[in-house]
Amino acid sequence: MSEREASVENQSVAASGGAEASGTTVGPEASAAPAALLQLARRIAVQAAEFALAARRVGVAVAATKSTPTDIVTATDRETETLIRSLILAARPDDGIIGEEDIAHVGTSGLDWVVDPIDGTVNFLYGIPAWSVSIAVVEGTPEPGGWTTLAGVVANPVTGEVFEATAGGGARLGELSLAVNTGVALSQALVGTGFSYSAERRREQAQVLLELLPRVRDLRRAGSAALDLCAVAAGRLDAFYERGLNPWDHAAGALIAREAGARVGGLGGGPESFELLVAAAPALYAELATALIDAGVDA
């Protein structure tokens, strides 16, 4: 067993005992209220963030590639997800888990945890301080549009910021309540986006940018969809859109943006999906969605 693998195991064992001692261990008979789920999700996200940041300070390298040579995964991605899974199952063994780096764990409780251990792996690799641990708890069919997100946490390990929300309970950054920017016209909007790992899709996205850029204040590409959605919630961006996102990229961030007052959706007014996610205050959402259609994003 490597030193880092031993660290994962030790943290998992310690956390499972600590959860029971603090009263956060949840059995099948215990409450699954959003507030209780958020408390557990926050604890796990913060611990995973600390683990990943410590690993980053030691050093990091590409362990493998996935869909394309630019779609990378590091050993820390995998180890952080292993830690998160172990902490979830120690507290709620009947829940399911949908993660980026490992096969889904099928549960029996009707709840699933949607986990991105490191959202923004390229930023993580290069030491850019815009990567995050994203954890959401959802109820229903385990896919966007079929589930209701009950709680979500996005933690930036470098800044120490922890964004969170519960369904109907609002969104917060620490103790600060979040609210999206309103009354912003598209021409004055600061819009975030991201790019695919597929070269062909990047060409399509570049064409959209050529059409959209003259119609907005400016564009930003930070490299973590989860943090971009939280930036909309916090008013650091007016809007965000991206194609090619997976459920773990946006499950927590979309809830946080919604609870801060954003409309979040996809093509043709449907739910967010791999094909498109748009997030903004409702009036700006309508303008941006129209502009994206005009730019050929639904082609």
Side-chain angles (χ1 to χ4, degrees):
M1 179 182 292
S2 71
E3 181 177 345
R4 192 175 293 175
E5 288 171 334
S7 176
V8 173
E9 183 172 338
N10 291 338
Q11 290 199 41
S12 173
V13 171
S16 62
E20 186 174 356
S22 64
T24 57
T25 298
V26 182
E29 72 289 347
S31 171
L37 294 169
L38 178 63
Q39 181 182 13
L40 179 60
R42 183 195 308 117
R43 178 178 64 80
I44 293 173
V46 168
Q47 184 168 343
E50 292 171 350
F51 172 82
L53 184 60
R56 179 64 187 80
R57 287 170 174 161
V58 171
V60 63
V62 175
T65 59
K66 296 187 284 188
S67 61
T68 73
T70 56
D71 184 7
I72 62 171
V73 61
T74 71
T76 305
D77 287 84
R78 294 169 173 169
E79 292 161 355
T80 304
E81 183 165 317
T82 297
L83 174 62
I84 293 169
R85 283 172 174 256
S86 67
L87 296 176
I88 292 168
L89 294 176
R92 296 188 56 89
D94 298 319
D95 291 355
I97 303 174
I98 302 167
E100 181 174 14
E101 307 303 342
D102 204 347
I103 60 173
H105 170 79
V106 179
T108 59
S109 68
L111 298 182
D112 288 285
W113 294 68
V114 186
V115 174
D116 194 338
I118 298 179
D119 186 56
T121 299
V122 173
N123 287 350
F124 176 78
L125 177 67
Y126 280 82
I128 298 170
W131 51 278
S132 61
V133 175
S134 175
I135 301 176
V137 190
V138 304
E139 183 177 38
T141 306
E143 59 185 21
W147 66 39
T148 297
T149 309
L150 302 178
V153 177
V154 175
N156 182 331
V158 182
T159 65
E161 292 183 318
V162 179
F163 300 86
E164 62 182 52
T166 54
R172 293 167 299 282
L173 170 55
E175 298 300 319
L176 177 67
S177 294
L178 300 179
V180 299
N181 295 333
T182 58
V184 180
L186 182 64
S187 62
Q188 297 300 306
L190 183 62
V191 180
T193 192
F195 305 121
S196 171
Y197 291 114
S198 161
E200 184 56 39
R201 176 155 283 189
R202 283 183 176 184
R203 291 189 186 95
E204 296 169 0
Q205 290 169 328
Q207 291 300 316
V208 171
L209 287 176
L210 289 174
E211 297 294 328
L212 185 63
L213 186 55
R215 302 181 62 176
V216 302
R217 181 190 295 273
D218 208 345
L219 287 164
R220 293 290 183 270
R221 193 286 200 261
S224 166
L227 288 178
D228 282 335
L229 286 161
C230 293
V232 172
R236 298 172 184 176
L237 291 174
D238 297 307
F240 170 72
Y241 79 93
E242 189 167 345
R243 302 189 75 179
L245 293 176
N246 292 298
W248 45 80
D249 297 316
H250 60 77
L255 175 67
I256 293 165
R258 281 193 174 97
E259 288 294 325
R263 178 180 175 185
V264 183
L267 288 175
E272 61 271 22
S273 70
F274 186 82
E275 292 305 318
L276 181 65
L277 180 149
V278 180
L284 178 56
Y285 179 102
E287 276 198 271
L288 178 56
T290 298
L292 290 170
I293 292 171
D294 292 343
V297 80
D298 63 340

